[in-house]
Amino acid sequence: MVGLEISWEELERIYDEHSLPPHLPAAAWRTPIPVYDGRRQVGRATSGTWSPILKKNLALATVESRYARWALDCRSSRPWSTSGGR
């Protein structure tokens, strides 16, 4: 289990590519969402929510063990991806 910070800028860009307004759920979500390293799925985000104290979108995810260390010290360039770390 690892924690992920969801990039608002990247999320906004993805919605914009489809001419949609960005949308965040009003409550915590628990629908599994795939986490990718490039085009390969390496896990899934199992829940997430907006943190009013940190002012960030956060998620919990289960990932393959070799990605667990990466998740400790990396920021993703895509909201649900392990590619493009620091």
Side-chain angles (χ1 to χ4, degrees):
M1 180 79 55
V2 298
L4 301 175
E5 178 183 338
I6 302 166
S7 167
W8 174 257
E9 292 80 13
E10 182 65 16
L11 190 63
E12 192 173 43
R13 185 188 65 75
I14 291 169
Y15 273 86
D16 190 48
E17 285 177 1
H18 298 282
S19 300
L20 296 170
H23 172 73
L24 292 176
W29 51 267
R30 290 178 182 81
T31 305
I33 299 174
V35 176
Y36 292 94
D37 178 15
R39 294 177 124 325
R40 183 174 180 272
Q41 183 177 347
V42 298
R44 61 186 175 174
T46 56
S47 61
T49 193
W50 168 256
S51 169
I53 293 173
L54 298 175
K55 306 233 183 302
K56 295 179 179 184
N57 292 302
L58 304 175
L60 293 175
T62 56
V63 296
E64 293 176 18
S65 59
R66 65 180 169 181
Y67 290 93
R69 181 160 178 86
W70 169 90
L72 292 174
D73 63 357
C74 163
R75 292 188 185 186
S76 174
S77 66
R78 300 196 61 205
W80 305 106
S81 169
T82 61
S83 63
R86 295 193 247 187

